[in-house]
Amino acid sequence: MRVRFFGTRGSIATPSRHTLRYGGNTSCVEVRSNAGTLVILDMGTGAAVLGRELLKDAPPHGHVLISHTHWDHIQGIPFFAPFKIPGSVWDIYAPRGFDRTLRETLAGQMEYTYFPVALEQLGATIRFHELVEGRFRVGDIEVTSRYLNHPALTLGYRLEADGVGIVYACDHEPHSRALATGDGDIAGEDRRHAEFLAGADLVLHDAQYLAGEYRQKVGWGHSTVEYALAVARFAGAKRLALTHHDPLREDRAIDELVAALRSESRRTAGPKVFAAAEGQELELSATRSVAVARPDFPAQAQLGSALVGRSALLAMETPSKISGLSDALRADDVHIIVSDVANAPAAAQRERPMLVLLEDTGDARAAAASRAIRHLAGEPDELPIVLVTPSEPRGDGMENGFSDFLVEPYSPVYARTRIRAWLMRAACHWVRAPTPNDEERRLAATRALSLIETPPEERFDRITRLAAALFDVPIALIALMERDREWFKSRCGLDLCEVPRDESFCGHSVYLRQPLVVADARLDERFADNPYVTGPPGVRFYAGHPLILPDGSCVGTICVLDTRPRHIDNHGLERLRDMADLATRELEFPK
Ligand SMILES: [Zn+2]
Ligand SMILES: [Zn+2]
C-alpha cells in the first residue's frame, strides 16, 4: 500500500516561507492498494494538486472518503480536475447527516454566490454514499468507519489491504481533558478510540495543539500531539504521522515538537513518530498483522425512519441544562421526555427511549438510576446512558452502567454532535439486518420471478391460510425481499402489503439463510424498538423460514406472527420448513 500526503495543514491553508517543508495545503491524503484501488482521504486544498497529478491516467476514477464537511476537508473539491472529466467515475463517502444530504451539503459550497461552476455541471459521474459507523469495502480495501469527537459529525477511517492497516483520524478531540494535557488513563471512549487504532501500521492523527495550548482550545475538536502519541502507543501502532498541523505552527516549531516526541516515544517503546509533510510518500508492506475486531454493521445502511417516533429521556433537575439539551435534541426531531433523576428508571421502562441523559446531582442518585435502568427487563445493552457532569469522572464508569460522559462546560454545537453520534449508534443497533454477500444475484433472482406487485393468487394464499391455522396465529405471510422493501405476495391477517427493509424481521432470516424465531420481540434488542412491535400490529412472536430457490438464491421468507409471546419447538420448525418448501415450489413453477 502506498500513501502520499497532499495536504497536512489544519483549519486554513497556510502558504508561507515558514511552512514550506511541512506544507500549507489543508487535509488530503492519497492511498493506493497494490492492486491499484485509489482512496483519497479528505479533499482540503491539497486535493487541487493531487487532481492535477491524476490527470496523467485518464479517465481517472477512485473513492473519496470525507471525514466531515468542514471547509478544510472539502475546499479542494471544486478545484479537483478529474471531477470535470467526462467518463471519469468517482464515489464520495461521508458521514450521514440528519437534515441535509451529502450531495446538498457539497453543492452548497459550489452555489453561484461562491463558485462559478455548480456541482451538477461537473462532467464526471459522481456517486454519493452516506455512512454511519460500520464497515464497507472499496475495491480490494476493507474500510471501517468510526465516529470521532468533533463539533460536527465526523468519521475516522481504518483501511486494510495488502496485509497493511492504516487509520486516518482527523479531526478528533480527546474525550478526557486530562488525557489531552498528557495525564490520566486511557479509558472509556478514549480507550475505544485507541482500539480503533489497534496494531495499525500507520496512524495519521490530528495533532493540532500542544498540551500547553489545550486549556484555551477545549471544545474546538482537536487533539494534542501528546494525546496522539499516548493513544497510538496504547494501540500498539507502528508508525504515527502527526498531521492537521496548526496554521500557527511553523516548520521549525514542528521540528522541535517531533524531536521531543521521538525521545519520549523511544523511552516508552512507542511508535515511530514523524510529522506528515506535503509531498511525502510512504510505501507500506505487510508486517505481522494484528487481528482487529471489525463491526459487522454495514456503514452504508439506510437509517431512514430510524429516529421517527423515537424518544430521548432527559433525567435532570437543573432547568438551564434541560432547556439547553432539549434544543440540541429538538434539532433532530427526537421526542423529548423529562423526568427527575430518581424517576428515570420508571420513565425509561414506560417510554423505552433510545438515549438517556442523566444529570450528575453530586450524590449517588445518577449512578443508582443508571444501574436500575440497566436492570430493566428487555432494555438493550447498547442503550446509551450518558452522565452529564461538571467534573471529569475517573475510570470509565462501566460499573454504574454509564456508556459515556458529557463534561461541562460544553458548547451547544458540541453537545448536539455528541447527541447525534449517540442517536446514530443507537439507531444502527436495531435498524437493519446486514446485506447478504450475494445481494445483487439475490435481487436478480427475486425480480426474475416476475411476481412483485402482482395481485394475490389463491395458490399462495392457501399456503398462508394453512400456516396461520397450523400455528394458530393471526398472521402468516409469504414475503419477497427487494432492495429497500419487503413485499408480501400473500398476506393472511395483515392489511399492509409491504414494509421497509430497515424494519423487516425477515431481513435477518434472509441474511442468515436460516429460520429465525423471536419468542418475544419486546425482549429482543434487535426488535424491541421496531415500529411494528411498539405500534400496530403489535408483533410479539415471529418465526420465519427463508425461501431458497434451487440455484441457491434466497428470495424471501414465509413467516408467522403473533401478538402474544410464544415458543416454537423443533417439530414446529419442521412444519415451517414444509410450508417453505410448498411456497418455494409455487415460486419455481409459475401457474
Ligand atoms: Zn479540520
Ligand atoms: Zn473540523
Side-chain angles (χ1 to χ4, degrees):
M1 205 138 60
R2 195 182 60 161
V3 179
R4 287 200 293 171
F5 296 97
F6 284 85
T8 60
R9 194 60 56 175
S11 307
I12 187 167
T14 314
S16 125
R17 65 193 170 88
H18 301 295
T19 59
L20 280 177
R21 269 185 299 121
Y22 291 101
N25 278 308
T26 59
S27 298
C28 182
V29 182
E30 178 200 40
V31 178
R32 253 182 221 272
S33 73
N34 295 346
T37 304
L38 167 63
V39 166
I40 300 172
L41 295 160
D42 275 334
M43 279 202 166
T45 59
V49 185
L50 170 58
R52 288 195 287 276
E53 290 230 353
L54 291 176
L55 288 182
K56 290 174 201 155
D57 36 281
H61 64 275
H63 307 268
V64 180
L65 274 50
I66 303 279
S67 61
H68 63 309
T69 52
H70 279 164
W71 268 343
D72 52 325
H73 300 257
I74 60 166
Q75 258 182 338
I77 289 177
F79 298 92
F80 185 69
F83 284 167
K84 297 176 186 135
I85 308 289
S88 180
V89 179
W90 292 87
D91 289 277
I92 303 185
Y93 304 78
R96 175 182 298 281
F98 282 91
D99 35 16
R100 302 174 82 193
T101 64
L102 171 60
R103 192 195 164 85
E104 285 164 352
T105 305
L106 294 181
Q109 74 163 347
M110 296 176 73
E111 277 172 18
Y112 178 67
T113 317
Y114 310 109
F115 198 71
V117 183
L119 186 66
E120 52 275 6
Q121 291 170 324
L122 295 174
T125 301
I126 303 178
R127 299 181 292 223
F128 297 89
H129 308 271
E130 303 190 337
L131 303 174
V132 292
E133 264 186 1
R135 65 186 292 169
F136 61 108
R137 198 184 165 89
V138 294
D140 62 331
I141 302 180
E142 293 278 357
V143 186
T144 305
S145 52
R146 193 180 193 285
Y147 289 124
L148 302 179
N149 190 27
H150 196 59
L153 211 53
T154 301
L155 285 171
Y157 297 106
R158 182 178 180 116
L159 313 182
E160 322 247 2
D162 308 325
V164 172
I166 297 179
V167 177
Y168 178 79
C170 295
D171 302 359
H172 175 75
E173 178 162 348
H175 290 268
S176 155
R177 289 171 194 177
L179 213 48
T181 53
D183 301 318
D185 294 328
I186 296 180
E189 275 296 304
D190 290 303
R191 190 181 180 113
R192 286 187 276 277
H193 179 64
E195 284 162 3
F196 178 58
L197 274 47
D201 297 274
L202 176 65
V203 171
L204 315 170
H205 205 285
D206 178 349
Q208 184 147 354
Y209 305 131
L210 298 173
E213 299 162 344
Y214 181 69
R215 201 186 287 276
Q216 278 77 48
K217 314 285 186 182
V218 173
W220 293 27
H222 296 290
S223 290
T224 59
V225 295
E226 289 82 357
Y227 173 84
L229 175 59
V231 287
R233 182 174 52 216
F234 186 88
K238 295 178 188 76
R239 284 205 257 188
L240 169 64
L242 305 171
T243 189
H244 208 275
H245 307 306
D246 192 272
L248 297 178
R249 195 96 51 221
E250 299 180 350
D251 289 337
R252 205 166 36 83
I254 295 180
D255 286 339
E256 283 166 15
L257 75 86
V258 169
L261 231 52
R262 269 192 190 147
S263 67
E264 148 92 2
S265 189
R266 262 198 301 274
R267 201 169 42 76
T268 55
K272 185 167 180 281
V273 185
F274 62 99
E278 212 173 298
Q280 187 177 5
E281 198 171 325
L282 298 170
E283 189 72 47
L284 300 170
S285 44
T287 53
R288 188 177 50 83
S289 67
V290 176
V292 180
R294 298 193 67 220
D296 64 0
F297 192 80
Q300 297 187 61
Q302 300 288 324
L303 290 185
S305 53
L307 299 178
V308 176
R310 308 303 304 270
S311 58
L313 172 61
L314 289 182
M316 327 214 113
E317 330 230 308
T318 310
S320 61
K321 288 181 196 175
I322 296 172
S323 72
L325 290 170
S326 296
D327 287 347
L329 283 161
R330 250 193 296 277
D332 294 325
D333 283 334
V334 176
H335 180 64
I336 301 159
I337 311 151
V338 179
S339 83
D340 56 24
V341 174
N343 283 311
Q349 181 150 42
R350 201 172 53 242
E351 306 284 347
R352 298 275 164 197
M354 67 191 299
L355 169 67
V356 178
L357 296 168
L358 272 172
E359 179 176 347
D360 181 357
T361 41
D363 49 29
R365 276 184 291 161
S370 172
R371 286 196 303 267
I373 292 170
R374 288 279 177 234
H375 283 120
L376 291 176
E379 204 55 80
D381 292 343
E382 294 92 353
L383 172 72
I385 302 180
V386 179
L387 184 71
V388 181
T389 174
S391 58
E392 191 169 299
R394 289 181 194 288
D396 57 13
M398 289 300 281
E399 68 281 7
N400 290 320
F402 297 123
S403 19
D404 206 351
F405 303 99
L406 182 59
V407 181
E408 298 157 318
Y410 48 80
S411 67
V413 284
Y414 182 74
R416 185 175 168 184
T417 311
R418 293 291 296 280
I419 284 170
R420 285 191 158 188
W422 292 316
L423 290 173
M424 280 292 190
R425 280 189 179 132
C428 292
H429 276 302
W430 69 280
V431 71
R432 180 177 184 154
T435 306
N437 288 332
D438 67 339
E439 177 67 3
E440 294 307 318
R441 191 179 75 118
R442 198 195 66 69
L443 282 171
T446 310
R447 287 178 193 140
L449 297 172
S450 304
L451 286 171
I452 302 282
E453 297 291 351
T454 55
E457 289 176 60
E458 177 56 20
R459 62 192 182 110
F460 290 107
D461 290 347
R462 74 166 72 97
I463 300 175
T464 50
R465 267 198 318 273
L466 279 171
L470 184 62
F471 291 94
D472 187 24
V473 293
I475 300 168
L477 305 163
I478 291 175
L480 297 175
M481 192 62 70
E482 288 209 278
R483 194 185 293 282
D484 291 316
R485 65 171 179 164
E486 179 185 15
W487 181 80
F488 305 127
K489 173 60 190 169
S490 175
R491 47 202 165 90
C492 172
L494 187 72
D495 288 335
L496 293 168
C497 54
E498 63 179 55
V499 297
R501 187 166 176 179
D502 287 352
E503 292 158 1
S504 150
F505 282 60
C506 296
H508 295 263
S509 182
V510 167
Y511 171 70
L512 296 167
R513 298 171 62 86
Q514 281 180 12
L516 172 74
V517 177
V518 180
D520 187 348
R522 284 199 202 159
L523 300 183
D524 188 314
E525 66 193 34
R526 291 168 297 180
F527 307 109
D529 298 320
N530 185 293
Y532 303 106
V533 175
T534 56
V539 175
R540 295 290 291 274
F541 165 77
Y542 167 94
H545 197 293
L547 301 179
I548 299 177
L549 300 181
D551 74 351
S553 311
C554 180
V555 295
T557 61
I558 182 166
C559 64
V560 290
L561 300 108
D562 202 342
T563 52
R564 296 165 300 169
R566 50 192 295 171
H567 288 280
I568 185 167
D569 58 13
N570 282 341
H571 177 74
L573 274 177
E574 279 165 25
R575 295 295 78 78
L576 194 61
R577 194 187 61 214
D578 290 339
M579 299 314 254
D581 286 346
L582 289 176
T584 308
R585 280 181 81 88
E586 290 301 334
L587 293 173
E588 271 178 76
F589 301 110
K591 310 206 171 110

